[in-house]
Amino acid sequence: MRFKNRTVIITGAAQGIGEGLAHAYAAQGAQVVLSDVQREQGRSVEQSILQKGGSALFVPCDVRNEQDIVRLVNLVLERTGSLDIVINNAGVSCWKSPYELTVQEWDDILNTNARSCFLLSREAAKYMRDSGKGGAIVNMSSTRSIMSEPDTEAYAASKGAILSLTHALAVSLGRDGIRVNCISPGWIETGRAEHLREKDHKQHPAGRVGTPDDIAKACFYLTDPENTFVTGTHLIVDGGMTRKMIYEE
């Protein structure tokens, strides 16, 4: 119960990695606040945690909207009276040729993935500073911040922005006892693992595709109140896949 009585906000918590993080933190005693635009799924995750004896509160939030983010933080403080950890996990992608990608699609991806990290970090940091307790922020980037596939320009740009934003915030907020770190997940299976092939696992030096639990363990390390010397770091959690040279045969 290493996070007992600590309040954590997780964006994009209605499914995928965010849902896994919500369950993992709740199991460690945290007061988990889930936010997402998917209301039905978000409430389902909330109820699942509550049924297991955990503490959970779902708050609908569109992270592209500044006022939604302000409202989210204010509601959390009103309901729980504290805010210790923020995990900026919400994100969308668009695989589309740069010849056809529209400005609207570009803006939507950058605003959802990158701008939201700044806005929620800013609002949460105000409380963390004024409380005198500090806090921890984790921004979810991607291995696409350091490598690419074709037709991923907007997604790659957003994830690269998150990486740079992380070290900038770590420097700016460090004086207030706020640590800011970044995780870049690789291939994390959030659906039905039985559909994975043997060669999918063998692509990874670790011998398997990742799971949301792998990302949760990384978040635990970065948000542990004992780890006060860890800030501004970029933690790649990909089973070693980005370190493996690949040759076409």
Side-chain angles (χ1 to χ4, degrees), residues 35-56:
S35 81
D36 208 294
V37 291
Q38 301 184 70
R39 294 172 181 250
E40 186 174 336
Q41 288 178 255
R43 292 194 178 95
S44 177
V45 177
E46 174 192 56
Q47 289 303 310
S48 177
I49 292 174
L50 292 174
Q51 289 169 4
K52 294 177 181 178
S55 174

Side-chain angles (χ1 to χ4, degrees), residues 57-188:
L57 171 66
F58 173 67
V59 180
C61 178
D62 184 343
V63 294
R64 296 169 298 184
N65 186 306
E66 181 180 12
Q67 291 309 308
D68 265 23
I69 288 176
V70 172
R71 184 179 64 86
L72 168 64
V73 173
N74 287 340
L75 182 60
V76 169
L77 295 176
E78 178 185 310
R79 295 284 188 89
T80 70
S82 66
L83 177 53
D84 305 286
I85 298 167
V86 168
I87 301 178
N88 287 303
N89 169 74
V92 294
S93 60
C94 176
W95 265 236
K96 192 171 184 179
S97 166
Y99 295 110
E100 300 171 356
L101 188 70
T102 68
V103 168
Q104 290 77 19
E105 290 168 331
W106 173 276
D107 286 348
D108 184 66
I109 292 170
L110 268 291
N111 290 342
T112 302
N113 297 1
R115 190 180 72 171
S116 67
C117 287
F118 168 71
L119 292 174
L120 182 51
S121 296
R122 181 191 70 187
E123 294 305 307
K126 291 176 184 177
Y127 167 79
M128 292 174 177
R129 175 197 61 192
D130 294 345
S131 71
K133 299 189 300 180
I137 298 171
V138 174
N139 296 321
M140 206 63 65
S141 182
S142 166
T143 49
R144 294 302 185 274
S145 65
I146 57 172
M147 59 186 289
S148 290
E149 290 180 299
D151 305 328
T152 61
E153 281 69 23
Y155 185 74
S158 71
K159 294 302 183 178
I162 289 170
L163 178 54
S164 296
L165 174 65
T166 295
H167 60 68
L169 284 173
V171 173
S172 297
L173 304 181
R175 71 195 77 172
D176 298 314
I178 302 167
R179 297 183 297 107
V180 188
N181 290 291
C182 179
I183 294 175
S184 281
W187 186 343
I188 304 298

